Amino acid sequence: MTCSIFLQNKYVMYQDKMFKLSDKILLLCVGEAGDTVQFAEYIQKNIQLYKMRNGYELSPTAAANFTRKNLADYLRSRTPYHVNLLLAGFDETDGPGLYFMDYLSALAKAPFAAHGYGAYLTLSILDRYYRPDLTRDEAVELLKKCIEELNKRLIINLPSFSVRLIDKDGIHDLEKLVPVGAK
Amino acid sequence: MALQDFSGSPLHLSVPAAEYLSESPIQFGQINPNIASNFINTLHQDLVLSFPPGFPPSCSPSVPLPFTMSHGTTTLAFIFQGGVIAAADTRSSCNGLVACPASQKILPVHSHLVGTTSGTSADCALWKRILARELRLYQLRHGRRLSTAGAAKLLAHMLHPFKGTELCVAATLCGWDGGERPSLYYVCSDGTRLQGELFSVGSGSPYAYSVLDGGVRWGLTVEEATSLARQAVYRATHRDAYSGNCVDVYHITSKGWARRDREELHRQIVQQFKTNVSQC
């Protein structure tokens, strides 16, 4: 059973950057200070409103496209949102899906993705070792490889990472990953 | 919207007020791109967003500021078993000049919520008052006080439309939520809203952090906590040029906030130091 896994880090103030859009969709939002929370909560509440009005939840593909449309509309306004997003979800028919969006409202479906300076270091590890048929444990091991590399080469100290897994049963919190030697 | 609720009562304003004053601050909206079938538009159909053109002011700094503003201060707040302690210095600086040596940087919002202010003094004073007004209206409408988390959320949403302008407010809201919980939130005009147990804001904050990080524990007594807070502000005022003069300390408990008398610590501590040195 394949699943989408992604990681996020927590800073000294321990802010959670993952926003639960629905039972099977998570949105990771990073970028400019206030924009992240404002935009992510706006999307979150709209997805929930759709469910209340129509009785069923949006699929991950629909949610991703909705998010991208909003980002694109605000891009050319006086108040663009400078946020980079990863949307991960599990669809009953299509299976797991990961959508990469950046602040210019580009949208791409990808098997794995990363934003920020960490991306420079981790994408090649993911390129090398990712297979679509990874088991859950293998996937967590792959994440650990990425985090160890960040711990070694990234100038910013990232003390802890929270990990969540989405599968047909919903969103599960996995054990926090702490790089060895990080405080 | 706020003032319209009271029309017809003896409180009806006879002074013509600018349009935007009768709107709730939450509706100071960014110019939304007009999308026909967007969800949120249908929600706001009956609300008229009318405000004077050019308000909030756009990002381009084409209008020069009348004088250079400066944001020097040291404020701090932390939670411990006895409630929340908030402390701040009292110096208002203006680009190298001490504009006021006795200003008040900790402003009570309501009986159980106090806010420390940092950034532009005028902005902080105004937005604290707006927040106090909105919280009071909430209390009247809903019959209960809004929690500190809610107040912080409200302030963050009210400040968001002004992002990118010169507005600069960095406040920590220290409050006691109905029951046994003290809480502490940091809200900034760039949109940050964080919950925590210890915050220090301002140009003197690194100095304050270093003193606080060594001493803050949950189990402090009230005297130890106040003395730690005073020490931290004092050390920051010693090192930071833009912080100085006296120290204000507020203590928030389940019974509300209590203010300690303003103290001028420099003389005390120098005196102590001299007696210590002479005893060696």
Side-chain angles (χ1 to χ4, degrees):
Chain A
M1 170 67 79
T2 55
C3 38
S4 296
I5 299 188
F6 46 87
L7 52 80
Q8 66 136 50
N9 69 318
K10 286 181 165 188
Y11 277 124
V12 180
M13 293 294 161
Y14 298 111
Q15 187 181 25
D16 196 358
K17 295 175 191 161
M18 298 202 209
F19 295 86
K20 190 177 157 196
L21 297 188
S22 76
D23 287 334
K24 296 196 181 135
I25 307 181
L26 267 182
L27 179 73
L28 260 95
C29 195
V30 295
E32 202 176 326
D35 288 354
T36 50
V37 176
Q38 290 284 134
F39 185 74
E41 287 191 345
Y42 174 70
I43 300 294
Q44 189 182 42
K45 302 315 169 196
N46 269 308
I47 303 278
Q48 286 165 1
L49 183 64
Y50 186 95
K51 183 184 176 185
M52 282 182 217
R53 285 203 174 132
N54 300 292
Y56 64 91
E57 287 182 345
L58 279 171
S59 68
T61 323
N65 279 291
F66 171 72
T67 310
R68 190 214 69 86
K69 178 85 168 67
N70 269 290
L71 214 46
D73 287 332
Y74 278 103
L75 185 62
R76 298 284 180 188
S77 71
R78 284 190 317 141
T79 54
Y81 286 105
H82 200 290
V83 290
N84 293 313
L85 307 165
L86 287 177
L87 191 144
F90 193 94
D91 194 15
E92 296 300 330
T93 41
D94 298 330
L98 178 65
Y99 294 87
F100 170 101
M101 271 173 276
D102 74 354
Y103 69 100
L104 294 169
S105 70
L107 172 68
K109 188 162 196 273
F112 53 85
H115 275 299
Y117 290 113
Y120 290 104
L121 295 165
T122 53
L123 280 175
S124 44
I125 300 178
L126 290 165
D127 276 328
R128 169 84 179 78
Y129 293 106
Y130 174 81
R131 288 178 343 261
D133 58 350
L134 289 171
T135 64
R136 178 207 276 220
D137 293 326
E138 284 173 349
V140 177
E141 282 308 309
L142 182 52
L143 270 185
K144 281 187 185 157
K145 268 204 195 67
C146 294
I147 292 173
E148 269 160 32
E149 180 60 21
L150 289 178
N151 188 34
K152 192 170 176 197
R153 292 288 179 190
L154 195 63
I155 201 170
I156 302 174
N157 179 40
L158 302 170
S160 87
F161 289 78
S162 73
V163 183
R164 294 201 170 97
L165 169 73
I166 311 180
D167 60 12
K168 60 172 171 48
D169 301 318
I171 302 174
H172 310 281
D173 279 342
L174 300 184
E175 195 195 324
K176 276 197 189 33
L177 294 178
V178 177
V180 174
K183 199 56 167 63
Chain B
M1 292 286 280
L3 291 173
Q4 284 165 22
D5 287 346
F6 290 90
S7 64
S9 79
L11 299 171
H12 181 61
L13 280 191
S14 54
V15 177
E19 262 181 334
Y20 56 83
L21 284 180
S22 58
E23 298 279 351
S24 164
I26 302 171
Q27 291 155 17
F28 289 157
Q30 29 190 356
I31 310 286
N32 283 334
N34 280 327
I35 314 144
S37 58
N38 208 0
F39 294 128
I40 283 297
N41 278 353
T42 54
L43 215 55
H44 281 192
Q45 256 161 15
D46 44 355
L47 291 175
V48 177
L49 281 175
S50 59
F51 44 85
F55 185 91
S58 58
C59 314
S60 61
S62 50
V63 177
L65 297 171
F67 44 81
T68 38
M69 306 203 208
S70 202
H71 316 308
T73 187
T74 307
T75 64
L76 60 92
F78 60 88
I79 293 183
F80 69 114
Q81 56 81 19
V84 196
I85 293 273
D89 72 312
T90 58
R91 174 177 290 180
S92 270
S93 58
C94 187
N95 194 35
L97 165 70
V98 177
C100 176
S103 56
Q104 202 183 11
K105 297 190 189 179
I106 307 185
L107 302 170
V109 174
H110 62 64
S111 61
H112 285 73
L113 181 65
V114 140
T116 68
T117 63
S118 166
T120 316
S121 313
D123 287 332
C124 289
L126 174 68
W127 283 100
K128 277 281 166 350
R129 290 196 65 169
I130 293 180
L131 182 67
R133 181 186 77 181
E134 291 302 319
L135 292 182
R136 178 68 180 142
L137 284 171
Y138 183 94
Q139 187 179 3
L140 289 170
R141 286 177 186 142
H142 297 90
R144 64 178 181 88
R145 264 204 295 267
L146 194 54
S147 63
T148 318
K153 197 88 181 141
L154 189 60
L155 186 59
H157 278 303
M158 291 198 288
L159 291 176
H160 183 72
F162 296 92
K163 192 173 160 127
T165 63
E166 306 275 348
L167 188 87
C168 182
V169 171
T172 61
L173 296 177
C174 325
W176 193 281
D177 293 339
E180 342 78 45
R181 259 192 348 263
S183 64
L184 181 57
Y185 276 84
Y186 167 69
V187 181
C188 183
S189 54
D190 70 5
T192 318
R193 173 181 167 263
L194 300 167
Q195 196 206 358
E197 309 215 326
L198 165 66
F199 284 111
S200 174
V201 186
S203 53
S205 63
Y207 309 109
Y209 268 126
S210 45
V211 173
L212 287 170
D213 283 337
V216 164
R217 289 178 336 264
W218 177 260
L220 290 171
T221 65
V222 176
E223 292 75 32
E224 286 172 344
T226 13
S227 125
L228 181 63
R230 283 158 64 225
Q231 271 291 325
V233 175
Y234 171 73
R235 297 291 159 200
T237 58
H238 181 59
R239 283 288 176 184
D240 181 31
Y242 295 106
S243 309
N245 302 104
C246 311
V247 179
D248 275 336
V249 179
Y250 278 67
H251 179 213
I252 300 101
T253 58
S254 56
K255 300 189 185 65
W257 57 261
R259 185 185 167 194
R260 197 189 155 94
D261 283 336
R262 178 169 283 190
E263 288 165 308
E264 218 266 298
L265 285 177
H266 182 68
R267 263 177 255 275
Q268 260 182 48
I269 294 190
V270 165
Q271 195 54 42
Q272 231 171 36
F273 183 72
K274 283 194 181 141
T275 44
N276 286 344
V277 164
S278 61
Q279 280 165 6
C280 288

